Amino acid sequence: MKTTTVISRMFAAMAGAILLLCVPAMANAQSELTGTVDSGNIQPLPIAISIGGTDAAGGDMGAKISKVVMNDLEGSGYFAPINPAAFIQTNLDVAVQPDFNSWKTINAQYLSNGRAFVDADGRLQVDFRLWDIFSQKQLLGQSLTATPENWRRIAHKIADAIYEKLTGQEGYFDTRIVFVAESGYRTARVKHLAIMDQDGANPSYLPVAGNNTKVMTPRFSADSQEVAYMALTADSARIYIYNLETGRQEAVGQIQGMAFAPRFSPDGSKLAFSVSQGGATNIYVMDLRTRAMTKLTSGSAINTSPSFSADGSTIAFTSDRGGSPQIYLMNASGGNVRRITFGGGSYSTPVFSPKGDMIAFTKQSGGRFSIGVMDPSGGNAKLLTSSYLEEGPTWAPNGRYIMFFRESPAGVPSLWQVEVTGRVERAVPYAGGASDPAWSPRLK
Amino acid sequence: MKKFGPSLLISLVLHAALVLLAFITWTHTPKPLVVNSVPVQVISDMPSRQMAEAPVDELAVKTPAPVPQPEPVPPKPTPAPPQPVPEPIKPAAKPTPTPPKPTPTPPKPTPQPPKPTPAPPDKNGLKKVEPAPAKTPPQKQPAKPAPKKAPEDDLLGRLAATPSQAPTKRQAQASTQKTTGQSAQGSGPADAGLKAEVSALTSRLNKLWLLNCDVPGSDEVSPEIRFTLSPNGRVTDGPTWVNKRNDPVWQAGANLAMAAVNKGQPNAFLGLPEGLYNRPIKITFNAQAACRGR
């Protein structure tokens, strides 16, 4: 064996030994440590909203928009808007990155800044951005325009965008509520059909057919352009469909008996409702194109409050066929009726959530009323609220909030909103009596 | 027959008029309300290149307090990364009575300081204000137990509500939170001793992590966030979401987890066990465990 070969083998062996010795150390230096954080601060997210700018008259449009956005986000229960009085950095330029330290100091985790102005065409434009303060990154940047009188809709759309980005859920702020505006003494209530923004702003009456008509159970169509309602007069109870775009309204056929509790199918092609005739109340469905009616239930029981499932295949309804009002399901074409509530007390006004994953209901038990939710099969029933009198649940389009009306012993009804966990509840402002709310889909 | 006087006639006329008025009534017919759809347009994301340069993030660009250099070295004109010269000491190292002598070759691999190259513009074209580089300048004097805190650091420290800002090395402590059995695990047998050390980090992140368990689906996310810490409490790499999903709820959850990591720097990450610095750390933010019992 040559000497050079021996030496080269020795070097190779030494190199191998060194490598073996070094590998563990190298691995230790570069290996990844892993761990788990399994608790945190469960609380609303602190967010600062700072939109500046003016309208054509020099009014403080930015501050007005900020206020609406803050109110929306706070009302969701997921956010804790920071009082603008605490802001260190003011007059932010939407074209300049904010001073993140100023916002860290006031403990903001997110910042939305923007600017409102009226463009050359007289339209209101709002540019806004959403920032993650601690990563110092922009999460959103949008520009919205509308006619100046629709500034609140811009604010709601900004709130929707922020809500969606930071929760991953669909927003629901740019929506409306139709409801029954009530006035007068309890024994002689005047009931108007009314509409307002979901936050109680811009309330107005919708003129209905006939004089001295009492309006009940208004319901939105899926495209939010039509409202079906029951018009009760001294000698009739009919269902009308009101087109919000044109103001046109028409009665739904000539129905023998008292028709009430209308509800559109998800695709808007059908209308389900109850007809009370000869002591019995049954559910019908009408094809709105052909006006053909189909009777879905029969018998002498009271069957009412129909509500379509999200896919339109099933109808939930209230029936006292078992001795007390309970909630049942049936096929949308009738048949296959099955009861899904069995608890004590009575259950009524079932409403499928927009996604079809829950049913909201009213429960009466022990002299009190509650709004609750349960699985479509009737399981996991959970009461969210309780009071002297409350009913009429309606879902926000994202299926996370329920609006209903609550009446005090004094007899003044008011609208309330509760999150489906029951943790966030708030009154919907309206300067009068309000009942029977129906939440619109998101506006276009 | 008695004739009707004019006053009686006038009275009759007035009464008749009143009766007529009662029939006519002032019926209030409100104007039909046409609720038109409102064209609110989301035009686009604003082109960020229109944005001006960001104000200086004083905290992020704050340079460490000047310390005497061991040897006068001519300053380099370019911000090129420093040469990997051995560091005579490491922050938070064990205090020694005498300063260690710089040697040409370090006795063991020392943490590599991050390159202080300017951060590239982000995808929006914005100048990104990076955290202060985790640079540890060579020091002449003996090692200090912990770097001196700047006033800004104190402020942030209070905000972050870190459990400890003690200048001495923090002893590893176990989390009092429930765990899922995988908490604070080292990556191998060699890391078995680091289990408690990782717990020291996760217990601090517990306090920084904001989450809302009521958002549907948010209690099921468990984003894995990878990052590297420097001894001065800065995040030198990441935070990066490892187990990415195309799900908005997961994305929102991951943002909150990364915000917790970003929020902690620098003070919440000071004084951690040495073994946590300058090596990749992957933390799972387990919302299911955090939201349990809600």
Side-chain angles (χ1 to χ4, degrees):
Chain A
M1 186 180 290
K2 292 180 179 178
T3 308
T4 53
T5 308
V6 172
I7 291 172
S8 66
R9 284 185 178 175
M10 284 176 63
F11 270 111
M14 286 173 64
I18 290 168
L19 190 64
L20 282 172
L21 286 171
C22 290
V23 162
M26 289 167 65
N28 191 46
Q30 297 176 355
S31 63
E32 185 174 77
L33 293 174
T34 60
T36 300
V37 176
D38 48 20
S39 72
N41 294 307
I42 301 167
Q43 63 183 61
L45 302 176
I47 185 169
I49 308 294
S50 177
I51 296 172
T54 58
D55 57 20
D60 202 353
M61 177 58 73
K64 286 161 65 179
I65 290 174
S66 293
K67 194 174 177 184
V68 172
V69 174
M70 289 169 65
N71 184 56
D72 280 348
L73 295 176
E74 185 171 29
S76 74
Y78 298 162
F79 298 90
I82 295 169
N83 187 341
F87 293 175
I88 296 169
Q89 187 182 21
T90 55
N91 300 321
L92 284 90
D93 187 339
V94 74
V96 177
Q97 191 168 284
D99 174 18
F100 293 109
N101 282 336
S102 296
W103 301 98
K104 287 176 186 172
T105 302
I106 61 170
N107 217 14
Q109 186 143 331
Y110 299 100
L111 162 70
S112 182
N113 68 316
R115 183 174 70 104
F117 62 96
V118 178
D119 66 15
D121 298 330
R123 292 173 65 81
L124 178 66
Q125 180 171 333
V126 181
D127 301 340
F128 81 98
R129 296 178 190 276
L130 175 65
W131 298 92
D132 183 325
I133 295 298
F134 290 95
S135 71
Q136 304 185 358
K137 286 180 181 169
Q138 178 184 313
L139 301 178
L140 270 180
Q142 292 182 351
S143 181
L144 302 97
T145 58
T147 52
E149 63 270 20
N150 284 306
W151 65 270
R152 292 187 67 91
R153 286 204 58 197
I154 289 185
H156 291 315
K157 284 197 172 291
I158 292 172
D160 276 334
I162 293 171
Y163 179 93
E164 288 173 8
K165 188 67 185 178
L166 298 183
T167 68
Q169 297 291 306
E170 184 187 344
Y172 66 98
F173 303 118
D174 188 27
T175 54
R176 288 198 171 106
I177 306 293
V178 290
F179 63 102
V180 176
E182 300 192 16
S183 57
Y185 291 110
R186 196 173 195 175
T187 52
R189 286 268 168 81
V190 178
K191 297 191 173 189
H192 293 287
L193 182 62
I195 191 168
M196 64 184 180
D197 296 350
Q198 57 82 24
D199 59 353
N202 296 325
S204 60
Y205 289 156
L206 295 171
V208 297
N211 292 324
N212 301 319
T213 301
K214 287 186 176 179
V215 171
M216 299 172 75
T217 60
R219 303 286 181 253
F220 268 110
S221 65
D223 63 1
S224 75
Q225 296 302 327
E226 292 181 318
V227 172
Y229 67 92
M230 172 198 177
L232 181 66
T233 60
D235 55 359
S236 73
R238 304 184 71 180
I239 293 172
Y240 286 81
I241 294 179
Y242 191 117
N243 188 306
L244 293 172
E245 274 201 352
T246 64
R248 185 169 175 266
Q249 51 192 312
E250 59 176 328
V252 177
Q254 292 291 332
I255 300 168
Q256 296 294 319
M258 191 170 83
F260 59 100
R263 184 85 64 175
F264 286 99
S265 63
D267 63 2
S269 67
K270 299 185 183 72
L271 190 72
F273 50 87
S274 296
V275 176
S276 184
Q277 190 177 23
T281 300
N282 282 297
I283 294 171
Y284 290 73
V285 66
M286 174 181 277
D287 185 315
L288 291 174
R289 189 176 56 82
T290 64
R291 300 292 163 137
M293 279 176 58
T294 306
K295 189 177 181 181
L296 300 182
T297 63
S298 58
S300 58
I302 295 174
N303 301 290
T304 187
S305 303
S307 171
F308 284 92
S309 61
D311 62 1
S313 65
T314 305
I315 290 176
F317 64 102
T318 306
S319 178
D320 65 354
R321 64 184 66 190
S324 68
Q326 298 291 335
I327 295 173
Y328 293 76
L329 298 181
M330 67 177 167
N331 295 344
S333 55
N336 190 23
V337 176
R338 62 270 191 198
R339 179 175 166 177
I340 60 169
T341 56
F342 298 92
S346 63
Y347 292 78
S348 59
T349 65
V351 191
F352 270 103
S353 67
K355 292 175 184 168
D357 58 342
M358 281 186 277
I359 293 176
F361 58 87
T362 304
K363 181 179 182 180
Q364 184 185 8
S365 179
R368 289 182 72 80
F369 286 76
S370 297
I371 301 296
V373 292
M374 61 185 173
D375 294 343
S377 61
N380 295 320
K382 178 182 177 184
L383 300 183
L384 307 177
T385 63
S386 179
S387 72
Y388 168 75
L389 173 60
E390 56 191 35
E391 59 181 328
T394 178
W395 289 92
N398 70 350
R400 294 304 305 166
Y401 301 86
I402 293 170
M403 195 175 287
F404 59 97
F405 76 93
R406 176 176 285 168
E407 193 162 320
S408 65
V412 181
S414 56
L415 301 184
W416 289 75
Q417 177 185 316
V418 65
E419 200 246 5
V420 290
T421 61
R423 294 194 182 93
V424 183
E425 181 182 319
R426 71 166 181 168
V428 179
Y430 178 70
S435 64
D436 266 346
W439 213 318
S440 80
R442 285 181 73 176
L443 302 179
K444 304 296 184 215
Chain B
M1 189 174 169
K2 190 178 177 181
K3 282 182 83 174
F4 294 115
S7 59
L8 185 60
L9 282 172
I10 291 170
S11 173
L12 281 172
V13 169
L14 283 174
H15 277 88
L18 278 172
V19 170
L20 271 175
L21 279 174
F23 275 107
I24 291 170
T25 70
W26 302 105
T27 49
H28 173 66
T29 308
K31 260 174 49 180
L33 176 70
V34 180
V35 186
N36 290 315
S37 60
V38 178
V40 178
Q41 298 174 341
V42 178
I43 296 175
S44 65
D45 285 2
M46 274 186 285
S48 298
R49 60 179 173 274
Q50 290 180 353
M51 297 177 77
E53 189 174 314
V56 176
D57 182 344
E58 293 179 0
L59 177 68
V61 300
K62 180 176 168 60
T63 52
V67 291
Q69 298 295 315
E71 290 178 3
V73 178
K76 296 178 180 177
T78 59
Q83 295 301 315
V85 293
E87 293 179 2
I89 53 166
K90 290 184 295 182
K94 292 176 183 175
T96 52
T98 54
K101 294 174 183 176
T103 54
T105 55
K108 59 180 179 180
T110 55
Q112 192 71 17
K115 297 176 180 178
T117 52
D122 64 10
K123 64 180 179 182
N124 297 318
L126 288 171
K127 183 183 177 184
K128 188 175 176 183
V129 181
E130 289 293 338
K135 186 170 72 177
T136 306
Q139 296 177 8
K140 189 176 180 180
Q141 69 270 33
K144 293 178 181 176
K148 188 178 178 182
K149 287 185 288 185
E152 298 91 332
D153 292 349
D154 285 336
L155 182 57
L156 277 181
R158 288 199 305 276
L159 289 172
T162 54
S164 170
Q165 297 303 325
T168 53
K169 191 169 89 173
R170 181 186 172 87
Q171 292 298 316
Q173 62 182 31
S175 170
T176 56
Q177 306 295 335
K178 290 179 183 175
T179 65
T180 56
Q182 55 172 334
S183 179
Q185 290 179 336
S187 58
D191 294 322
L194 291 173
K195 185 177 178 180
E197 296 183 342
V198 177
S199 285
L201 172 63
T202 56
S203 66
R204 296 189 187 189
L205 288 169
N206 283 341
K207 296 175 174 61
L208 298 165
W209 184 27
L210 289 189
L211 73 165
N212 193 324
C213 299
D214 294 337
V215 177
S218 65
D219 57 349
E220 294 167 6
V221 306
S222 51
E224 297 170 3
I225 307 298
R226 178 177 289 137
F227 57 96
T228 303
L229 297 175
S230 71
N232 66 359
R234 293 291 181 183
V235 177
T236 56
D237 187 24
T240 307
W241 180 18
V242 179
N243 56 340
K244 284 188 177 176
R245 293 194 188 189
N246 190 22
D247 178 327
V249 176
W250 272 76
Q251 287 166 357
N255 281 338
L256 289 172
M258 288 189 283
V261 175
N262 282 318
K263 199 190 297 183
Q265 59 177 330
N267 283 11
F269 301 140
L270 292 175
L272 288 166
E274 278 180 61
L276 295 175
Y277 295 121
N278 295 313
R279 66 185 298 179
I281 302 170
K282 187 175 75 178
I283 298 293
T284 302
F285 287 78
N286 187 344
Q288 192 172 25
C291 296
R292 192 173 294 140
R294 288 277 291 174

